[in-house]
Amino acid sequence: MKKNNKLILALAIASASAAIFPVQDTYAAEDLAVENKTAIVESKETLDASSTYEANLEETLSTENSEISKIDYYSNSSNENKDEYLADEKNESEIRQEDGTDKFDRATNTERKSFGADKNVINIDPEVKRKLEETDGEYGKKDGAYANNNLKPVLTPIKDVVVNMGENERQVAVTWYAKGEVNKDSKLHFGGKTYNVIRARKTNDSNGYSTYTAIAEVEPGKSYEYYVQTGSYKSDIFTLKTKALGKNNKFSVLAYGDSQIGSGDKVWDSVGLYKNTQGKVDQDIADFKKTLKKAEELDPHFYYSMGDNVQVAGYEGESDYLLELPIFKQRILATVAGNHELSMDKDDTSLQNTTFSDHFYLPNESNLGSISEINEDGSTTFMPGNFYYTYGDALFLNLNSNNRNTEEHRAFIENAKAEATKKRGSNFSWTIVSFHHAPYSTATHTSDTDIQQRRHELIRIFNENGVDAVFGGHDHVYARSKQMLAGEQALSFKDAYGIDPKDKNAKIEDGETKLFNNAIYKDGKVIVDGIELNYEGNEVTNPRGTVFLTLTTASGTKFYNPIGENQWFVAKSLDDRNQLFSYLTFDKNTFTITTMDPYGKVIDTYTINKTDEFINNPRMLEKEVSKAQLEARIKQVKNLKLVDNKENIEAYNNALSYAEEVLKATFTSQEEVDAAIKVLETRLSNVEFIAENTADNKADNKKLAKQVKGEKAPKAAKEVKEDKKASKASNKEAKKSSNPKTGITALTGVYASLSLAAAGLFATKRK
């Protein structure tokens, strides 16, 4: 009987408190019950005011489907290629964990025997192995007799001859190093003509070299014998083979990620080959040759590197061995700067970091995106700015992503595109961007703060300027995104990252996923940058958005652990510890990406087609965007009264500022505007408001509920389902009444309290 009395008392207290006492409530929109919490949970929270944030979060997350939604990586492939795709099926977590490793471990140096043995480590180059044995391991020993400054440099009078891209397919640049002080009378003898150098300067190579560049005109399809001369020094005679453009201006490119000669990880350490040792440099060159051998068979018009060409720019021996490869004297190499191009020898204070610009000529170079700093020790850090060139019907825009000034990159892209288009007299079919720090990747760098910044800020610029594809490296696991639009999304944890939030590997602590470096809001959602467009298949025509490629290491120097192969943006990701490259083909109307390993095995293909009409009018498919709902919601939120504390006000201001950023954007999509409303509600779920609903707020609610005139963008089936769910929650909330005089906030809350007490009484009676 005493137990029953307690339940009756609880019933009375719950009913009275709901009717009498005004409360502070946390809400974000006209659909306050966004997660459809049950009446029993609501009444429990009324009775137990001490419910913690962690408990609420766990309760919200537990309502999600426990089954991980897997992306079907093979459904997009044609039937005839399906077996080929299935042969590359990515390794699932239970396989990865057989060797005791954590699939989502951020340690990039874990040896993972059970899922894709490192083919290069298994097959150590015979010559490297012989030298290791002869020197009793010293050849590859960390900080040993063959390491760091003891790397064996190339000391010939002329070295590091490399052919770089000119302004277009009718021009090349030849750069070389020569012993001694600057000699401005240096010459390039090319195809029977002599060209003067356009630049000559002293380098910081400790062996006393200067660098030179000369520009030569070429006719695509011809071969040219050439040599360079500085004073009495002459190079060997080399042959540059150029290729003519094919039908419809067709040409091909061999794109690859971090060759990073001299790099290493614990897998290599285990066989006695440490980074920045002669043994590791020689091994990397031997492995890189495997990729280059297959590339030569494909015979591209030029090679296209995503940076991190070497491990430490200050160890000249690493650059020497890379640039002594014959292919870079026989074919054109275009490259961007990676973060390792800024890496200097910490023990050599005389070095000035101009290594990248000393070795490579950048056509149409801009000051925008450059880095020029005097360091604390008096040394100079210099990295050239953004640059562009054209080839056939394609415009290539190349960014120095070591510079994180987004507005400089925006100005460069707009200026370069306008300048190149004016010179051409018509639109380019393809606009391609490359920079090192890939913004949409699936390995450990995907959660880095600097990558998140680029993801948030750059994609709008790419969309606005009609960029078709963005190529990057840095993260050492191959990934291709879907067609991406700018904009934030509020997604469930599982929809965003592909794993259940209850999985320990998600590393959720204190309302944040440490794995992905992202906050989880009180409505159980995370906010991510980029809105994916789900086109069917591996071929699209006149698509919207931009596709992003992260290219893995072409030399197999080191591999990173994947932590997000099922992220919301992923169309294809492959982690098998094997070096890869992408073969790109362009003509006026078609652009195809074919990614393969050094043995020719194709692991991914993707094709974009464009009609002539679309090329001439790239915005022909854009629809009128209505921001009325977003504007109304922002106005409504500004009229709400806040709980007055610093943290709460800051969260409120952040929520509004992001929403107003979309509202003020001169270029946006309806998808972004619609998503911005949901993002606003999610951010506001962390904000506390004083619960009152004035006549003005009621009017605003009614306005917001009305259909805004104007055409809406078509919604995916999933969006329609989510909207129906949100509509139900909104209808449920609309049935509640609120009286500021009495403080009654929800009759359904009273009913819930009654239901809870009645249920308890019934359960006690049964017992």
Side-chain angles (χ1 to χ4, degrees):
M1 184 63 185
K2 288 182 179 180
K3 290 181 179 179
N4 290 346
N5 287 340
K6 287 182 180 180
L7 286 168
I8 292 168
L9 178 61
L11 167 62
I13 292 172
S15 301
S17 61
I20 296 172
F21 298 107
V23 296
Q24 287 186 340
D25 195 10
T26 300
Y27 65 104
E30 71 281 3
D31 55 341
L32 272 171
V34 66
E35 290 303 314
N36 287 325
K37 293 182 179 179
T38 66
I40 290 176
V41 172
E42 289 175 350
S43 60
K44 181 182 177 184
E45 290 176 349
T46 305
L47 289 167
D48 183 8
S50 64
S51 296
T52 62
Y53 163 66
E54 288 79 8
N56 290 337
L57 175 62
E58 185 175 349
E59 174 236 319
T60 303
L61 295 178
S62 66
T63 63
E64 298 176 356
N65 188 345
S66 60
E67 287 295 315
I68 296 177
S69 175
K70 296 179 181 178
I71 296 175
D72 182 0
Y73 285 86
Y74 314 110
S75 61
N76 290 338
S77 61
S78 60
N79 289 332
E80 59 267 27
N81 292 332
K82 183 154 286 192
D83 289 341
E84 184 175 63
Y85 276 79
L86 287 171
D88 281 322
E89 185 168 359
K90 65 185 183 60
N91 307 283
E92 298 301 339
S93 59
E94 62 271 16
I95 300 175
R96 288 199 176 95
Q97 291 168 357
E98 281 181 4
D99 63 355
T101 63
D102 180 348
K103 172 182 176 181
F104 299 98
D105 189 349
R106 284 186 62 83
T108 64
N109 299 325
T110 306
E111 182 178 4
R112 301 168 292 166
K113 297 177 181 178
S114 68
F115 57 103
D118 191 320
K119 298 176 178 61
N120 300 329
V121 175
I122 293 171
N123 300 300
I124 297 178
D125 183 71
E127 184 64 16
V128 173
K129 187 175 182 180
R130 182 183 67 80
K131 290 181 180 178
L132 275 173
E133 292 170 350
E134 283 182 357
T135 62
D136 195 25
E138 190 72 20
Y139 189 60
K141 184 179 178 182
K142 183 179 181 181
D143 299 323
Y146 297 88
N148 306 334
N149 275 317
N150 296 321
L151 287 171
K152 183 174 62 178
V154 173
L155 296 176
T156 56
I158 290 179
K159 67 175 182 177
D160 297 353
V161 177
V162 60
V163 181
N164 294 142
M165 182 66 68
E167 290 191 1
N168 52 47
E169 66 270 17
R170 308 188 72 84
Q171 189 182 86
V172 296
V174 179
T175 298
W176 69 94
Y177 273 25
K179 274 270 193 181
E181 298 300 316
V182 174
N183 184 334
K184 294 184 179 180
D185 290 328
S186 297
K187 308 288 183 183
L188 165 64
H189 302 278
F190 188 93
K193 295 181 180 181
T194 300
Y195 296 89
N196 295 324
V197 296
I198 63 165
R199 70 172 189 177
R201 66 173 181 245
K202 188 73 173 174
T203 74
N204 294 290
D205 187 308
S206 57
N207 293 293
Y209 284 84
S210 296
T211 181
Y212 305 90
T213 297
I215 302 291
E217 303 300 321
V218 297
E219 184 178 334
K222 288 190 174 182
S223 294
Y224 297 87
E225 287 191 344
Y226 71 95
Y227 67 93
V228 298
Q229 181 176 5
T230 296
S232 61
Y233 300 139
K234 291 183 180 181
S235 71
D236 293 337
I237 296 175
F238 307 109
T239 300
L240 172 67
K241 179 185 176 184
T242 66
K243 288 186 68 176
L245 295 173
K247 183 180 179 181
N248 221 17
N249 276 348
K250 186 172 184 178
F251 69 95
S252 58
V253 179
L254 198 290
Y256 63 91
D258 312 35
S259 55
Q260 209 164 330
I261 303 302
S263 182
D265 60 17
K266 287 186 178 178
V267 180
W268 285 110
D269 294 350
S270 66
V271 293
L273 289 175
Y274 288 82
K275 66 182 179 180
N276 301 320
T277 63
Q278 195 63 50
K280 189 57 170 57
V281 168
D282 290 351
Q283 180 64 49
D284 292 344
I285 291 296
D287 286 327
F288 193 28
K289 284 179 178 179
K290 299 173 187 175
T291 294
L292 296 176
K293 182 176 184 296
K294 175 54 65 175
E296 287 184 72
E297 294 174 12
L298 295 169
D299 195 20
H301 286 67
F302 66 91
Y303 290 76
Y304 189 32
S305 163
M306 297 304 116
D308 275 10
N309 295 287
V310 295
Q311 173 69 12
V312 176
Y315 295 147
E316 197 59 40
E318 293 178 350
S319 295
D320 285 349
Y321 280 81
L322 173 69
L323 295 177
E324 286 303 307
L325 288 167
I327 190 65
F328 297 133
K329 307 176 197 314
Q330 301 164 357
R331 298 290 188 277
I332 299 167
L333 171 64
T335 183
V336 295
N339 55 296
H340 281 268
E341 268 75 28
L342 283 174
S343 181
M344 299 305 293
D345 175 10
K346 60 182 174 60
D347 296 323
D348 191 342
T349 57
S350 67
L351 283 175
Q352 313 289 295
N353 190 354
T354 59
T355 305
F356 179 77
S357 59
D358 288 344
H359 278 303
F360 303 108
Y361 172 75
L362 310 180
N364 298 306
E365 183 186 331
S366 170
N367 285 328
L368 295 168
S370 66
I371 296 174
S372 184
E373 299 174 353
I374 304 297
N375 304 318
E376 290 182 3
D377 61 1
S379 63
T380 301
T381 293
F382 174 75
M383 189 65 66
N386 305 330
F387 64 101
Y388 78 88
Y389 51 88
T390 66
Y391 212 97
D393 289 310
L395 168 63
F396 291 85
L397 304 170
N398 309 275
L399 309 182
N400 171 26
S401 54
N402 294 295
N403 181 325
R404 290 165 59 185
N405 188 321
T406 299
E407 289 310 307
E408 285 193 20
H409 295 317
R410 176 193 292 277
F412 166 75
I413 289 172
E414 291 174 352
N415 296 342
K417 188 167 185 181
E419 182 177 289
T421 303
K422 184 178 180 180
K423 285 181 183 178
R424 176 183 169 89
S426 62
N427 288 345
F428 288 89
S429 297
W430 309 103
T431 301
I432 307 298
V433 166
S434 69
F435 57 92
H436 179 67
H437 300 81
Y440 286 102
S441 62
T442 57
T444 58
H445 282 308
T446 191
S447 59
D448 292 350
T449 302
D450 64 308
I451 298 300
Q452 291 178 331
Q453 177 201 342
R454 294 181 181 93
R455 195 182 301 158
H456 180 72
E457 296 177 354
L458 290 174
I459 185 170
R460 184 184 307 285
I461 299 172
F462 300 149
N463 287 169
E464 188 171 358
N465 289 279
V467 173
D468 298 290
V470 174
F471 288 85
H474 193 53
D475 218 10
H476 297 227
V477 169
Y478 175 78
R480 171 171 59 84
S481 79
K482 300 173 185 177
Q483 295 287 141
M484 302 299 295
L485 295 177
E488 295 181 322
Q489 290 189 89
L491 299 175
S492 71
F493 190 92
K494 189 164 58 179
D495 285 342
Y497 300 122
I499 58 172
D500 196 297
K502 293 180 290 185
D503 190 323
K504 66 177 182 180
N505 292 317
K507 299 186 186 300
I508 295 176
E509 299 174 21
D510 301 323
E512 181 180 346
T513 166
K514 304 295 183 183
L515 182 66
F516 294 103
N517 190 20
N518 203 4
I520 303 173
Y521 287 83
K522 288 184 181 179
D523 67 357
K525 293 185 178 180
V526 294
I527 294 173
V528 297
D529 278 297
I531 298 172
E532 73 281 17
L533 296 173
N534 291 305
Y535 288 95
E536 293 293 330
N538 281 56
E539 185 167 352
V540 294
T541 299
N542 296 344
R544 298 166 63 221
T546 304
V547 64
F548 292 79
L549 274 290
T550 304
L551 303 181
T552 189
T553 169
S555 62
T557 57
K558 67 177 177 181
F559 298 95
Y560 290 167
N561 282 359
I563 65 170
E565 292 181 285
N566 287 331
Q567 291 180 84
W568 80 101
F569 60 80
V570 176
K572 174 76 174 180
S573 181
L574 180 70
D575 164 49
D576 70 346
R577 295 190 69 81
N578 195 13
Q579 58 206 79
L580 303 171
F581 63 86
S582 292
Y583 182 65
L584 317 177
T585 57
F586 298 84
D587 64 30
K588 182 182 178 184
N589 301 104
T590 304
F591 164 43
T592 297
I593 303 163
T594 304
T595 300
M596 62 184 76
D597 68 13
Y599 312 101
K601 182 179 180 181
V602 174
I603 65 100
D604 188 30
T605 63
Y606 189 65
T607 298
I608 302 176
N609 301 305
K610 286 187 182 180
T611 62
D612 288 344
E613 184 183 11
F614 190 72
I615 293 168
N616 295 328
N617 182 15
R619 295 188 175 178
M620 60 182 278
L621 298 180
E622 290 177 11
K623 296 182 179 180
E624 185 177 348
V625 176
S626 172
K627 297 183 179 180
Q629 285 187 336
L630 177 60
E631 186 174 17
R633 185 64 186 120
I634 290 173
K635 180 180 177 182
Q636 184 188 44
V637 170
K638 286 181 175 180
N639 289 329
L640 300 175
K641 292 187 178 181
L642 287 170
V643 172
D644 189 8
N645 68 64
K646 183 179 178 181
E647 185 177 331
N648 195 54
I649 292 171
E650 184 178 332
Y652 170 80
N653 288 335
N654 284 339
L656 272 180
S657 67
Y658 280 105
E660 289 178 328
E661 181 182 309
V662 177
L663 189 64
K664 294 173 184 176
T666 55
F667 182 88
T668 187
S669 65
Q670 192 63 53
E671 287 92 340
E672 180 181 18
V673 174
D674 293 343
I677 298 173
K678 295 179 180 179
V679 168
L680 176 60
E681 310 307 347
T682 287
R683 284 201 169 97
L684 290 176
S685 72
N686 276 24
V687 179
E688 288 185 296
F689 296 96
I690 298 172
E692 59 178 31
N693 198 358
T694 65
D696 287 342
N697 284 340
K698 286 182 178 179
D700 285 341
N701 278 334
K702 288 180 180 179
K703 284 181 182 178
L704 196 63
K706 288 183 179 179
Q707 173 70 36
V708 176
K709 291 182 180 180
E711 187 176 7
K712 283 192 171 183
K715 295 183 178 180
K718 183 176 178 183
E719 282 186 288
V720 172
K721 186 176 180 181
E722 287 180 354
D723 283 353
K724 285 180 179 178
K725 181 181 177 183
S727 178
K728 278 186 178 181
S730 180
N731 289 338
K732 178 180 176 183
E733 186 64 26
K735 291 176 182 177
K736 298 180 180 182
S737 65
S738 184
N739 187 330
K741 292 182 180 179
T742 63
I744 296 176
T745 57
L747 291 176
T748 51
V750 176
Y751 176 76
S753 300
L754 289 167
S755 300
L756 176 63
L761 180 60
F762 178 75
T764 305
K765 277 190 169 289
R766 281 192 60 191
K767 186 173 180 180

